[in-house]
Amino acid sequence: MPDAVDTAAALLAAAADQGPGDTLRIVLLVSIVGGALLAWFLLRGYRSDDTGDYGSSDGRGTTTDRDANA
């Protein structure tokens, strides 16, 4: 019977030491979410809509004050 106890203890010790699997999953998930947020933050400055942009026309063919002195 002592062999079974020693074997069980060895199996439990081996099962507890599985390496950095959970840590790597967390790091990978945080990296993907962080990359998506960074891409969203950087790309939102490259929008092509003209609402509120400086120097855009008002829809009646006139331009804003920036082009008045040109």
Side-chain angles (χ1 to χ4, degrees):
M1 202 53 139
D3 292 333
V5 173
D6 291 337
T7 305
L11 288 175
L12 288 174
D17 188 26
Q18 289 293 322
D22 291 336
T23 305
L24 287 178
R25 284 187 200 109
I26 292 170
V27 168
L28 183 63
L29 180 65
V30 169
S31 299
I32 290 171
V33 170
L37 288 174
L38 179 64
W40 171 78
F41 180 75
L42 292 176
L43 290 174
R44 63 176 232 184
Y46 293 106
R47 282 190 246 171
S48 62
D49 60 292
D50 289 335
T51 57
D53 289 344
Y54 185 73
S56 63
S57 67
D58 61 0
R60 292 178 288 167
T62 60
T63 56
T64 58
D65 294 336
R66 187 183 73 129
D67 294 331
N69 295 329

